[in-house]
Amino acid sequence: ILSFGFIAWYKGTDWIIQAIDEVKRKHHLKSRDIQLVLAGGPNPNHEDKEYYQKYIKGIIRECRKAGFTLTGFVPEKDIPLYFKACDLVVLPYRTFMSSSGPLSMTFSFKKPFLLSPKLRGVLETSDVKELLSQLKLRQEDLIFEDFDKDFGRKILRLKKNPKLLHKIMKLARELSEKRSWNVIGQKYYEELLN
């Protein structure tokens, strides 16, 4: 499982560590069964703030304790390695403050994903709704409602159901194609000419 981007409270970095550790313990899973990679490091715009330093230290401590991987800053040339290696991208956001770079990358790398309820609006666009219908997917397949019970259920369901994982991957691939610059740029160009 990959969680990508700067470490941040609003992105739910601490939540996902606790939630996956809980799933592993509750279901007696080993590290080879489920692994979390937090690919990203501290946000340089906040590193000088005491509360943020404390948050980062807590993240490092909890990752070590749970045996999860915290990469630190990922150079642009290495980003594809993390996306290609993962089976699932989770975006555990507590709040949705702006467009999500990690979600866009998830689509670009055509990876299956699971979203927190705060990102539900991403699934409300006409292109996503159309694809959900075509692929016979429901929003509930892509969103976990809470970290207490539903998150674990969704993770285990995806782990045991490769067909569903493949459908979600197909959704990401289709979105990547529909939202590519070649497609969007052509539409923009045609609009300008009208």
Side-chain angles (χ1 to χ4, degrees):
I1 295 172
L2 176 68
S3 181
F4 186 87
F6 288 129
I7 297 170
W9 180 88
Y10 82 91
K11 290 184 177 183
T13 307
D14 53 312
W15 270 358
I16 196 167
I17 295 167
Q18 294 165 0
I20 293 179
D21 191 40
E22 176 68 22
V23 169
K24 282 177 66 174
R25 282 188 280 114
K26 186 176 179 184
H27 297 279
H28 310 289
L29 299 172
K30 305 236 182 306
S31 289
R32 70 177 181 270
D33 298 323
I34 189 169
Q35 181 57 246
L36 173 64
V37 175
L38 294 171
N43 184 327
N45 296 320
H46 302 291
E47 281 183 305
D48 61 336
K49 298 173 181 144
E50 191 175 326
Y51 72 88
Y52 190 66
Q53 292 170 4
K54 185 177 176 182
Y55 183 74
I56 295 297
K57 285 178 185 173
I59 295 297
I60 293 168
R61 182 180 58 249
E62 293 303 312
C63 277
R64 284 184 183 147
K65 193 166 84 174
F68 296 148
T69 302
L70 178 60
T71 67
F73 176 78
V74 177
E76 191 170 338
K77 69 178 180 51
D78 294 339
I79 292 171
L81 300 173
Y82 290 96
F83 277 92
K84 288 177 183 177
C86 77
D87 296 311
L88 179 69
V89 178
V90 176
L91 289 101
Y93 289 36
R94 281 185 168 95
T95 187
F96 196 27
M97 292 174 56
S98 64
S99 63
S100 173
L103 182 59
S104 295
M105 284 190 236
T106 299
F107 295 159
S108 295
F109 287 105
K110 302 156 186 74
K111 297 309 281 192
F113 57 94
L114 190 60
L115 307 174
S116 77
K118 295 297 183 178
L119 298 181
R120 184 179 297 275
V122 167
L123 305 177
E124 297 293 333
T125 60
S126 58
D127 58 346
V128 174
K129 285 182 175 183
E130 180 184 326
L131 287 170
L132 288 174
S133 176
Q134 287 174 13
L135 295 168
K136 295 181 176 33
L137 282 168
R138 301 167 302 135
Q139 284 190 6
E140 293 76 32
D141 295 324
L142 307 168
I143 295 174
F144 60 90
E145 292 304 323
D146 59 62
F147 270 112
D148 296 329
K149 294 178 184 164
D150 194 44
F151 179 76
R153 275 194 298 267
K154 295 279 170 72
I155 293 292
L156 294 172
R157 180 175 178 227
L158 290 170
K159 185 169 175 38
K160 294 174 185 175
N161 190 341
K163 277 182 144 178
L164 178 58
L165 207 57
H166 183 73
K167 277 186 180 183
I168 299 170
M169 184 173 62
K170 193 170 182 179
L171 171 67
R173 184 178 66 235
E174 295 286 331
L175 282 170
S176 175
E177 291 168 10
K178 281 181 176 256
R179 294 180 177 184
S180 75
W181 175 245
N182 290 339
V183 173
I184 300 293
Q186 182 62 36
K187 287 180 181 177
Y188 186 68
Y189 178 74
E190 289 168 6
E191 191 64 33
L192 287 174
L193 291 178
N194 287 336

